Amino acid sequence: MIIVMSPEATEVNIKKVQDKIVSVGLKCHLSQGASRMIIGVIGDKKIISGLQMKAFDGVEKTVAITEKYKLVSREFKHEDTIVNIDGVLVGGGHLGIMAGPCAVESMEQLQESAQAVKAAGAQFLRGGAFKPRTSPYDFQGFAEKGLQMLKTVGEKTGLKIVTEIVDVNAIDMHCAYADVLQVGARNMQNFELLKVVGKSKKPVLLKRGMSATISEWLNAAEYILSEGNYNVILCERGIRTYETFTRNTLDLSAVAAVKELSHLPIIVDPSHGTGRWQMVRPMARAAIAAGADGLMIEVHPHPEVALSDGDQSLTPENFDVVMKEVSQIAAMMGKK
Amino acid sequence: MIIVMSPEATEVNIKKVQDKIVSVGLKCHLSQGASRMIIGVIGDKKIISGLQMKAFDGVEKTVAITEKYKLVSREFKHEDTIVNIDGVLVGGGHLGIMAGPCAVESMEQLQESAQAVKAAGAQFLRGGAFKPRTSPYDFQGFAEKGLQMLKTVGEKTGLKIVTEIVDVNAIDMHCAYADVLQVGARNMQNFELLKVVGKSKKPVLLKRGMSATISEWLNAAEYILSEGNYNVILCERGIRTYETFTRNTLDLSAVAAVKELSHLPIIVDPSHGTGRWQMVRPMARAAIAAGADGLMIEVHPHPEVALSDGDQSLTPENFDVVMKEVSQIAAMMGKK
Amino acid sequence: MIIVMSPEATEVNIKKVQDKIVSVGLKCHLSQGASRMIIGVIGDKKIISGLQMKAFDGVEKTVAITEKYKLVSREFKHEDTIVNIDGVLVGGGHLGIMAGPCAVESMEQLQESAQAVKAAGAQFLRGGAFKPRTSPYDFQGFAEKGLQMLKTVGEKTGLKIVTEIVDVNAIDMHCAYADVLQVGARNMQNFELLKVVGKSKKPVLLKRGMSATISEWLNAAEYILSEGNYNVILCERGIRTYETFTRNTLDLSAVAAVKELSHLPIIVDPSHGTGRWQMVRPMARAAIAAGADGLMIEVHPHPEVALSDGDQSLTPENFDVVMKEVSQIAAMMGKK
Amino acid sequence: MIIVMSPEATEVNIKKVQDKIVSVGLKCHLSQGASRMIIGVIGDKKIISGLQMKAFDGVEKTVAITEKYKLVSREFKHEDTIVNIDGVLVGGGHLGIMAGPCAVESMEQLQESAQAVKAAGAQFLRGGAFKPRTSPYDFQGFAEKGLQMLKTVGEKTGLKIVTEIVDVNAIDMHCAYADVLQVGARNMQNFELLKVVGKSKKPVLLKRGMSATISEWLNAAEYILSEGNYNVILCERGIRTYETFTRNTLDLSAVAAVKELSHLPIIVDPSHGTGRWQMVRPMARAAIAAGADGLMIEVHPHPEVALSDGDQSLTPENFDVVMKEVSQIAAMMGKK
């Protein structure tokens, strides 16, 4: 940490800051600038991160030098992590394609979706049984019944099941039915939930929060890894900006940022990222070209009767087109 | 809902949209504009909100006319709600002042804080025992031991206790120790938690999410009211913007917006809203002048040794100054 | 400037960075942290700001210690600047109230507005003759004819005239008719325009850009002062965020921030800041309570026939109510 | 336009709204919803856009149905516009690659840059002679001398010259030296400048404003087309969000949005869009995969001595790698 003292800071102010730093077992290093004293704080970053230096008189600002996360960082582990979901690999050159309806609605809808996405080349079936919805009056999902349908269809088709968990008490239930536990954007900083999925050994898909910085997102992943679960896949799904033409603003530079900062695989969800099915195709191509390790795409056999997210779901025909284009780019990138 | 058809929409496209609307028991009303057909959808808003009309060919966009929330709306209940916390009123002309340290750190710190904020005129003691922190390595709070200290100090001083709940399984524990259950910004759309505090009969302080729209915030409150708990106080605490000088951007227009849209009381947290203790004083005055029903302010006897949020905590002396100024403005506004 | 080297940086990398710093006449100061070398750069800040250190191998990030602006800073001039507009003072305890229609529409409209705002206590008449509009098909203002009307009405009523300049070539014309030159939000970084108003000696009202940081805004003001014109009043008018209920998000913490960083007076425009006339009243109160040196408010005798911004204009009756409340708060703050 | 009346609106309120609409020559169409009267306004969109209906009592909100721009819209012209810059085509399957240093610094730097970018396949040389800088103390460019150097190097290499214009009075000078006039992000709503470049017949590169919506951006382009200049290329260069890891957030979904809404070509600037040279390569690939009609990339022979934007400039070697990858994706997309 760097502490910048204000130009009016007195020697007493500086002395008190130094004393505090030394008193918690850290070292400090003074550097007199043109108008301000700069104090470098050296030592264990967990102790440094607990300092409240802006509360001291004469302190103008403080600047963090290192991130708080450790296990997720590229510095800690240099090689790409490859998550192994029962034989299906994601990361390090292996693309993972997750597709299916927003919500599980019926056995027929699910089977039709599953066959379509498998035929087009997906390895995972996505589908929500517990839906976190903005309004209490919106469709909330079929709960355990939905999970059962997912498992049945997954076994029949050989697709791995990805589904969202919203309740810490439902962890055993989800582990029994699903192959990948999805933590949604709204729950990215629901730390109780992160700890619970961290204690399980199931692979976790961690979506980026609606307005999470990349740093906060990686810290959220650190909660999971620090509980012992290293099988985490990150998922960029659009961030909230002032633009209203799209539902969110898909931040594809997050792919490059995560690749630089972390060893974890990262996939992209262009369906939520744009909220418009017409944009899924170009954004899916762009995601792979940016270096993403996979995609999560909403596919519904009949989007116009979907109980949620019909506006952003692809038909099986359109999904097939996307997959063909994506494969070409992936090949060019030396993937899969 | 208004459906705007694209200029290229065919009669068949329009017919399919009409058929869908009629098939779910709604009515539609066509209006031919200069270049586009506009279709008004009339009927039960729960059914309307389930429609996925953008998935239909020829639909350019859809526009929602009414909000999904009902119980929290000014339309549903015209008079201001006054929340009664064991005799202390908040809303409808009654100011509620909640102050205290970010986190419970020790019995001494808590007692010193409590005496100071009570002396200055606060009716509530705030303090966190379970802290949701960005990094797993930051101080996470004293858990139940912290709640016990809060209760002890609350009983001694007569201050009501406000503290954050982060875990659905801790609801009984929190109900035993606290007078107001705080749902934090990160959990504003943790719907499982909203349902649990909704089922309890404790007053709830619902903070606005970091990038929640006012509409999403009121829908989150609707989750609580729809479970039968009408004792909800909203709390504006700053939203995330591009500006980095402040920790968040305190959105005081949210006070006026909530007063227009809802009957629920709304207070303001200028400590988190700005992240700088120097700004708490002017922003506290502004909040009351904007019409807020109260304040939540971080006060710490010794901010420079605080385990969290020392940067934005007031000393007791500074808090006293704030309270004096706030009282004058409140009097002018005909409050308290 | 602080340069943070990456943990993998070699001695050669560090040496090259040092050489560069020394070669431009600056000094450097090395500090070995737990995992990273930190290099402090000391010397003339104009030279420092020209360094492109992130382009060097082994550099992880750079952190600026001081702002680039100088003349506008509180560090440079400690006492509040009071801008004197032909005898009317703004800043340092003197409130400036600017009110009137968005656009000049007719002599009658302008006179009616002027009488109303003067009667309620405003010292300035605002009104646009050159309107920067999002679409080329929107009403663009009456140009010089509008300026003439403003001058005539200003002389009749004794109100000072504030009007927006959008064209560098119109500087002489504006100086002939107006008392204060307004630079609008869209032109905050139109540096040619800033230089031109800086070369004139007229007082300038500089609105904050739609997504300008406080630092960028003060740097824009620096352009004006560095040309020799010290009569600058800043105006917060709302920033762009994701919230759509209001037209912009009025950032009242900017008032406190500017007071800390600069000696220049700052006023607030709650009309553009919210875009809803119903919110002007509470936000005007809040602005003054936050410490603003004045207000800019849209007032129209008949908002429903206004050629622009009718949605956010107050009637004379409502403006009168606002002024009464604002006076009370100003008195409490020891102003005017 | 759709006008939504509040549930409390009286018949008199509704009558006044109807009278206003009819009085300006428009038609209205009433539709009684479950709780609100909805009024559709039909007629000439220029008249509709001048209405100030929210100023009427009883009006809850208004919703625009159509955009204000016309000439730039896909509805007005269905086929892709191909801009012809003296024989070099951009748009409709023709990729335009613009590369070179941020600022012109010397004849040597410019020649070295030009040879490198030409060798790698660019058709345009970019370089700033007039630099709009946040601080008045930053390097402002070599002015006309810079333009002369650009012209000389352009003629020698056969590269077309793209350079930024910041001053309306410099239009003739720019037209004499440059092949494409760039309007920068800060000037996107400098309407005087838009009109001036619109009156010239030079091709224009219009960058998206820092926080411009896609609609505002297309309206800015409309200013240029409405003056008679149809040779406009749009350029996405990142928008301002809360994320600080990148300089801006590159919004690649804007490419797909513009393709849907407009016939104009759109290119992408990943250098400004990310602010980190390491990210230019993946984002350039992603931009082309998203369907962009070209790229603008900062290339400097020695980024570490650049006078500006060294942090985001590629070396010639890295630019060559980018061009090879981009060509492969372009081929796959059937371009160039």
Side-chain angles (χ1 to χ4, degrees):
Chain A
M1 182 196 276
I2 301 285
I3 300 167
V4 181
M5 302 299 294
S6 88
E8 292 87 32
T10 64
E11 287 194 21
V12 174
N13 294 156
I14 294 168
K15 185 69 171 46
K16 281 200 177 167
V17 167
Q18 284 181 279
D19 289 351
K20 172 69 185 180
I21 293 165
V22 172
S23 76
V24 294
L26 300 167
K27 285 187 193 159
C28 61
H29 192 260
L30 272 67
S31 168
Q32 178 65 55
S35 61
R36 286 158 170 82
M37 177 65 79
I38 311 296
I39 304 175
V41 184
I42 302 164
D44 182 341
K45 71 181 178 181
K46 288 189 198 179
I47 301 177
I48 291 175
S49 83
L51 291 172
Q52 308 284 319
M53 301 312 298
K54 274 190 280 185
F56 280 75
D57 287 332
V59 172
E60 188 170 286
K61 64 176 172 183
T62 62
V63 181
I65 296 302
T66 51
E67 293 287 343
K68 293 183 176 182
Y69 53 76
K70 181 183 165 193
L71 305 175
V72 303
S73 73
R74 185 71 81 178
E75 209 175 323
F76 179 75
K77 172 166 181 270
H78 197 262
E79 325 74 57
D80 286 350
T81 284
I82 300 174
V83 176
N84 184 334
I85 302 108
D86 221 358
V88 179
L89 308 181
V90 181
H94 302 272
L95 283 197
I97 308 292
M98 311 179 177
C102 176
V104 175
E105 297 170 6
S106 72
M107 207 56 194
E108 294 67 41
Q109 170 240 28
L110 205 58
Q111 278 177 323
E112 211 176 327
S113 303
Q115 282 152 8
V117 305
K118 190 182 165 76
Q123 311 106 316
F124 297 84
L125 176 65
R126 62 147 290 154
F130 294 85
K131 302 295 305 169
R133 303 298 299 272
T134 300
S135 160
Y137 311 124
D138 287 339
F139 175 59
Q140 307 272 324
F142 280 164
E144 186 161 8
K145 212 180 114 193
L147 293 180
Q148 288 166 338
M149 292 192 234
L150 282 165
K151 191 176 174 67
T152 305
V153 173
E155 285 172 350
K156 227 183 269 186
T157 54
L159 291 167
K160 303 297 166 203
I161 298 302
V162 189
T163 195
E164 182 167 357
I165 177 168
V166 296
D167 182 359
V168 289
N169 293 322
I171 184 71
D172 292 338
M173 193 203 296
H174 277 81
C175 287
Y177 295 114
D179 300 296
V180 180
L181 304 177
Q182 178 181 324
V183 174
R186 289 176 184 78
N187 281 316
M188 191 203 84
Q189 289 195 319
N190 178 344
F191 301 118
E192 300 307 307
L193 187 60
L194 296 179
K195 289 177 203 164
V196 163
V197 300
K199 276 176 191 125
S200 88
K201 290 291 158 285
K202 280 278 173 182
V204 177
L205 183 76
L206 179 63
K207 287 201 151 188
R208 183 180 185 181
M210 216 163 282
S211 65
T213 61
I214 289 166
S215 170
E216 289 169 340
W217 188 17
L218 292 176
N219 271 301
E222 184 83 11
Y223 266 92
I224 303 173
L225 272 73
S226 69
E227 296 287 347
N229 187 349
Y230 287 69
N231 299 306
V232 174
I233 302 168
L234 299 167
C235 180
E236 159 67 28
R237 43 75 73 203
I239 59 173
R240 181 156 276 182
T241 70
Y242 64 85
E243 179 61 67
T244 55
F245 187 76
T246 44
R247 181 174 173 178
N248 295 289
T249 295
L250 192 65
D251 178 14
L252 290 182
S253 65
V255 173
V258 164
K259 289 280 165 212
E260 181 180 334
L261 300 170
S262 176
H263 51 85
L264 295 175
I266 173 170
I267 70 167
V268 171
D269 174 350
S271 305
H272 286 86
T274 64
R276 301 170 71 93
W277 66 263
Q278 300 92 331
M279 287 188 168
V280 171
R281 185 175 157 192
M283 290 300 103
R285 290 192 310 249
I288 298 302
D293 298 302
L295 295 166
M296 172 168 257
I297 293 181
E298 288 189 353
V299 176
H300 194 288
H302 311 287
E304 68 279 7
V305 300
L307 295 183
S308 63
D309 282 355
D311 299 346
Q312 66 194 35
S313 296
L314 291 187
T315 58
E317 294 71 36
N318 284 328
F319 179 64
D320 197 54
V321 173
V322 170
M323 287 298 289
K324 290 205 166 69
E325 293 182 342
V326 157
S327 303
Q328 283 186 274
I329 297 178
M332 204 209 89
M333 304 277 296
K335 290 222 169 149
K336 196 169 195 182
Chain B
M1 181 196 274
I2 300 288
I3 300 167
V4 181
M5 302 300 294
S6 87
E8 292 87 34
T10 62
E11 285 193 23
V12 173
N13 294 156
I14 293 168
K15 185 68 173 46
K16 281 200 177 165
V17 167
Q18 282 180 280
D19 289 352
K20 172 68 184 181
I21 293 165
V22 171
S23 77
V24 294
L26 300 167
K27 286 186 192 158
C28 63
H29 192 259
L30 271 69
S31 167
Q32 177 65 53
S35 61
R36 286 158 170 83
M37 177 64 80
I38 311 296
I39 304 175
V41 184
I42 302 163
D44 182 341
K45 72 182 180 181
K46 289 190 195 176
I47 301 176
I48 291 175
S49 84
L51 291 172
Q52 307 286 319
M53 302 312 299
K54 274 191 279 184
F56 280 75
D57 287 333
V59 172
E60 188 171 286
K61 65 175 170 183
T62 62
V63 181
I65 295 301
T66 52
E67 293 287 343
K68 292 184 178 181
Y69 52 76
K70 180 184 164 193
L71 304 176
V72 303
S73 73
R74 185 69 83 178
E75 209 175 323
F76 179 75
K77 173 165 181 271
H78 197 262
E79 325 74 60
D80 285 352
T81 284
I82 300 174
V83 175
N84 184 333
I85 302 108
D86 222 358
V88 179
L89 308 181
V90 179
H94 303 271
L95 283 197
I97 308 293
M98 310 179 177
C102 177
V104 175
E105 298 169 5
S106 72
M107 205 58 191
E108 295 66 42
Q109 170 241 26
L110 203 58
Q111 278 177 324
E112 211 175 328
S113 303
Q115 282 153 7
V117 305
K118 189 182 166 75
Q123 310 108 314
F124 298 83
L125 178 65
R126 64 147 289 153
F130 294 86
K131 302 296 306 168
R133 302 299 299 273
T134 299
S135 160
Y137 309 124
D138 287 337
F139 174 60
Q140 307 272 323
F142 281 164
E144 186 162 8
K145 211 180 113 194
L147 292 180
Q148 287 165 339
M149 293 193 234
L150 282 165
K151 191 176 174 65
T152 304
V153 174
E155 284 173 349
K156 226 182 270 186
T157 54
L159 290 167
K160 304 296 166 203
I161 298 302
V162 189
T163 196
E164 182 166 357
I165 178 167
V166 297
D167 181 0
V168 290
N169 294 323
I171 182 71
D172 293 338
M173 192 203 296
H174 276 82
C175 286
Y177 294 114
D179 299 296
V180 180
L181 305 176
Q182 178 181 322
V183 175
R186 288 176 184 78
N187 281 315
M188 192 202 82
Q189 290 195 318
N190 178 345
F191 301 119
E192 300 307 308
L193 188 60
L194 296 180
K195 288 177 203 164
V196 162
V197 300
K199 278 180 189 122
S200 88
K201 289 293 157 284
K202 281 278 174 184
V204 177
L205 184 77
L206 178 64
K207 289 201 151 190
R208 184 180 184 180
M210 215 163 281
S211 65
T213 61
I214 289 166
S215 170
E216 288 169 341
W217 190 15
L218 292 176
N219 272 301
E222 185 83 9
Y223 266 93
I224 304 174
L225 272 75
S226 69
E227 296 287 347
N229 187 349
Y230 286 70
N231 299 305
V232 174
I233 302 169
L234 300 167
C235 181
E236 160 66 28
R237 43 74 74 203
I239 59 173
R240 181 155 276 182
T241 70
Y242 64 84
E243 178 60 67
T244 55
F245 186 76
T246 44
R247 180 172 174 181
N248 294 291
T249 295
L250 192 65
D251 178 14
L252 290 182
S253 65
V255 173
V258 164
K259 289 283 166 210
E260 182 179 333
L261 299 170
S262 175
H263 52 84
L264 294 174
I266 173 169
I267 71 168
V268 170
D269 175 349
S271 305
H272 286 86
T274 65
R276 300 171 72 93
W277 66 263
Q278 302 92 330
M279 286 189 170
V280 171
R281 186 175 156 192
M283 289 301 103
R285 289 192 310 248
I288 298 301
D293 299 302
L295 295 166
M296 172 167 256
I297 294 181
E298 289 190 353
V299 177
H300 193 289
H302 311 288
E304 69 280 7
V305 299
L307 294 183
S308 62
D309 282 356
D311 299 346
Q312 66 195 36
S313 296
L314 292 186
T315 59
E317 295 70 35
N318 284 328
F319 178 64
D320 197 52
V321 172
V322 170
M323 286 298 287
K324 289 208 168 66
E325 294 183 341
V326 157
S327 302
Q328 284 186 272
I329 296 178
M332 204 209 88
M333 303 277 295
K335 290 222 170 147
K336 198 170 195 184
Chain C
M1 180 197 275
I2 301 286
I3 300 166
V4 181
M5 302 300 294
S6 88
E8 291 87 34
T10 63
E11 287 194 21
V12 174
N13 294 154
I14 293 167
K15 184 68 171 47
K16 282 199 176 167
V17 167
Q18 284 180 279
D19 289 351
K20 170 71 185 179
I21 292 165
V22 171
S23 76
V24 293
L26 300 167
K27 287 187 191 159
C28 63
H29 192 260
L30 272 69
S31 168
Q32 177 65 54
S35 61
R36 285 157 171 82
M37 177 64 80
I38 310 294
I39 303 175
V41 184
I42 301 164
D44 182 341
K45 70 181 178 181
K46 288 191 198 175
I47 301 176
I48 291 175
S49 84
L51 292 172
Q52 308 285 320
M53 302 311 299
K54 274 189 280 184
F56 280 76
D57 286 333
V59 173
E60 187 170 285
K61 64 175 171 184
T62 62
V63 181
I65 296 301
T66 52
E67 292 287 343
K68 293 184 178 181
Y69 53 76
K70 181 184 165 194
L71 305 176
V72 302
S73 74
R74 186 69 84 178
E75 210 173 321
F76 179 75
K77 172 165 181 271
H78 197 262
E79 326 74 58
D80 285 351
T81 285
I82 301 175
V83 176
N84 183 333
I85 301 108
D86 222 357
V88 179
L89 308 181
V90 180
H94 302 272
L95 283 198
I97 308 293
M98 310 178 178
C102 177
V104 175
E105 297 170 5
S106 71
M107 205 59 193
E108 294 66 44
Q109 171 240 26
L110 205 57
Q111 278 177 325
E112 212 177 327
S113 303
Q115 282 154 8
V117 304
K118 190 182 164 74
Q123 310 108 313
F124 297 84
L125 178 65
R126 62 148 290 155
F130 294 85
K131 303 295 306 168
R133 303 299 300 273
T134 300
S135 160
Y137 310 125
D138 287 338
F139 174 59
Q140 307 271 323
F142 280 164
E144 186 162 7
K145 211 181 113 193
L147 293 180
Q148 287 166 339
M149 293 192 236
L150 282 165
K151 192 176 173 66
T152 304
V153 173
E155 285 172 351
K156 227 182 271 188
T157 54
L159 291 167
K160 304 297 166 204
I161 298 301
V162 189
T163 195
E164 182 166 357
I165 178 167
V166 298
D167 182 0
V168 289
N169 294 322
I171 182 71
D172 293 337
M173 193 203 296
H174 277 81
C175 286
Y177 295 115
D179 300 295
V180 180
L181 304 176
Q182 178 181 322
V183 175
R186 288 177 183 78
N187 281 316
M188 193 202 83
Q189 289 194 320
N190 178 344
F191 300 119
E192 300 307 309
L193 188 60
L194 296 179
K195 289 177 203 163
V196 162
V197 299
K199 278 178 190 124
S200 88
K201 290 292 157 284
K202 281 276 174 184
V204 177
L205 183 77
L206 179 64
K207 288 200 150 189
R208 182 179 185 181
M210 215 164 282
S211 65
T213 62
I214 288 165
S215 170
E216 289 169 339
W217 189 16
L218 292 176
N219 272 300
E222 185 82 9
Y223 266 92
I224 303 173
L225 272 75
S226 69
E227 296 287 347
N229 187 349
Y230 287 69
N231 299 305
V232 174
I233 302 169
L234 299 167
C235 180
E236 160 66 28
R237 45 74 72 202
I239 59 174
R240 182 155 275 183
T241 69
Y242 64 85
E243 178 61 68
T244 55
F245 187 75
T246 44
R247 180 172 174 181
N248 294 290
T249 295
L250 192 66
D251 178 13
L252 290 182
S253 65
V255 174
V258 164
K259 290 279 165 212
E260 182 180 334
L261 300 170
S262 176
H263 52 84
L264 294 175
I266 174 171
I267 70 168
V268 170
D269 174 351
S271 305
H272 285 87
T274 64
R276 301 170 71 94
W277 67 263
Q278 301 92 331
M279 285 188 169
V280 172
R281 186 175 156 191
M283 289 302 103
R285 290 191 312 248
I288 299 301
D293 298 303
L295 295 167
M296 172 169 256
I297 293 182
E298 288 191 351
V299 176
H300 194 289
H302 310 288
E304 67 278 10
V305 299
L307 294 183
S308 63
D309 282 357
D311 300 346
Q312 66 195 34
S313 296
L314 291 187
T315 58
E317 296 69 37
N318 284 329
F319 179 62
D320 197 53
V321 172
V322 169
M323 286 298 288
K324 289 207 167 67
E325 294 182 343
V326 157
S327 303
Q328 283 186 274
I329 296 178
M332 204 208 88
M333 304 276 295
K335 289 222 170 148
K336 197 171 194 182
Chain D
M1 180 196 275
I2 300 288
I3 300 167
V4 181
M5 302 300 294
S6 87
E8 292 87 33
T10 62
E11 287 194 20
V12 174
N13 294 155
I14 294 168
K15 185 69 173 46
K16 282 199 176 165
V17 166
Q18 284 180 278
D19 289 350
K20 172 69 184 180
I21 293 165
V22 171
S23 76
V24 295
L26 300 167
K27 286 189 193 156
C28 62
H29 193 260
L30 272 68
S31 168
Q32 177 64 55
S35 62
R36 286 158 170 82
M37 177 65 79
I38 310 296
I39 303 175
V41 185
I42 302 162
D44 182 341
K45 73 181 178 180
K46 288 191 197 176
I47 301 177
I48 291 174
S49 83
L51 291 172
Q52 306 287 318
M53 301 313 298
K54 274 190 277 184
F56 280 74
D57 287 332
V59 172
E60 188 171 286
K61 65 175 171 183
T62 61
V63 181
I65 295 301
T66 52
E67 292 288 343
K68 293 184 178 181
Y69 52 76
K70 182 184 162 192
L71 305 175
V72 304
S73 73
R74 185 69 84 179
E75 209 175 322
F76 178 76
K77 173 167 181 268
H78 197 263
E79 326 72 58
D80 285 351
T81 284
I82 300 174
V83 176
N84 183 333
I85 301 108
D86 223 358
V88 179
L89 308 181
V90 180
H94 303 271
L95 281 197
I97 307 293
M98 310 178 178
C102 177
V104 175
E105 297 169 5
S106 72
M107 206 58 193
E108 296 65 42
Q109 169 241 28
L110 204 57
Q111 279 177 324
E112 211 176 329
S113 303
Q115 282 153 8
V117 305
K118 190 182 164 76
Q123 310 108 314
F124 298 84
L125 177 65
R126 63 147 290 155
F130 294 86
K131 302 296 306 169
R133 303 297 300 272
T134 300
S135 161
Y137 310 124
D138 287 339
F139 175 58
Q140 306 273 323
F142 281 164
E144 186 162 7
K145 211 180 114 193
L147 292 180
Q148 287 165 338
M149 293 192 233
L150 283 165
K151 191 175 174 66
T152 305
V153 174
E155 285 172 349
K156 226 182 270 185
T157 53
L159 291 168
K160 304 296 166 204
I161 298 302
V162 189
T163 195
E164 181 166 358
I165 177 167
V166 296
D167 182 359
V168 288
N169 294 322
I171 183 72
D172 292 338
M173 192 202 296
H174 277 81
C175 286
Y177 294 115
D179 299 297
V180 180
L181 305 177
Q182 178 180 324
V183 175
R186 289 176 184 78
N187 281 315
M188 191 202 82
Q189 290 195 318
N190 179 345
F191 301 119
E192 300 306 309
L193 188 60
L194 296 179
K195 288 177 203 165
V196 162
V197 300
K199 278 177 191 125
S200 88
K201 289 293 157 284
K202 281 277 173 183
V204 177
L205 184 76
L206 178 65
K207 288 200 151 189
R208 183 181 185 180
M210 216 163 281
S211 65
T213 61
I214 289 165
S215 170
E216 289 169 340
W217 189 16
L218 292 177
N219 272 300
E222 184 82 10
Y223 266 92
I224 303 172
L225 272 74
S226 68
E227 297 287 347
N229 187 348
Y230 286 69
N231 298 306
V232 174
I233 302 168
L234 300 167
C235 180
E236 161 66 28
R237 44 75 73 204
I239 59 172
R240 181 155 275 182
T241 70
Y242 64 84
E243 179 61 66
T244 56
F245 187 75
T246 44
R247 180 174 174 179
N248 294 290
T249 295
L250 192 65
D251 178 14
L252 290 182
S253 65
V255 174
V258 164
K259 289 281 166 211
E260 182 179 333
L261 299 170
S262 176
H263 52 85
L264 295 174
I266 173 169
I267 70 167
V268 170
D269 174 350
S271 305
H272 285 87
T274 65
R276 301 171 72 93
W277 66 263
Q278 301 93 332
M279 286 188 170
V280 171
R281 185 176 157 191
M283 289 302 104
R285 290 191 312 249
I288 298 303
D293 298 302
L295 295 167
M296 172 169 256
I297 293 182
E298 289 191 352
V299 176
H300 194 288
H302 311 286
E304 67 281 7
V305 299
L307 295 184
S308 63
D309 282 356
D311 298 347
Q312 66 195 34
S313 296
L314 291 186
T315 58
E317 295 70 37
N318 284 328
F319 178 65
D320 197 53
V321 172
V322 169
M323 286 299 288
K324 290 207 168 65
E325 294 183 341
V326 157
S327 304
Q328 284 186 275
I329 296 179
M332 203 209 90
M333 304 276 297
K335 289 221 171 149
K336 196 169 194 183

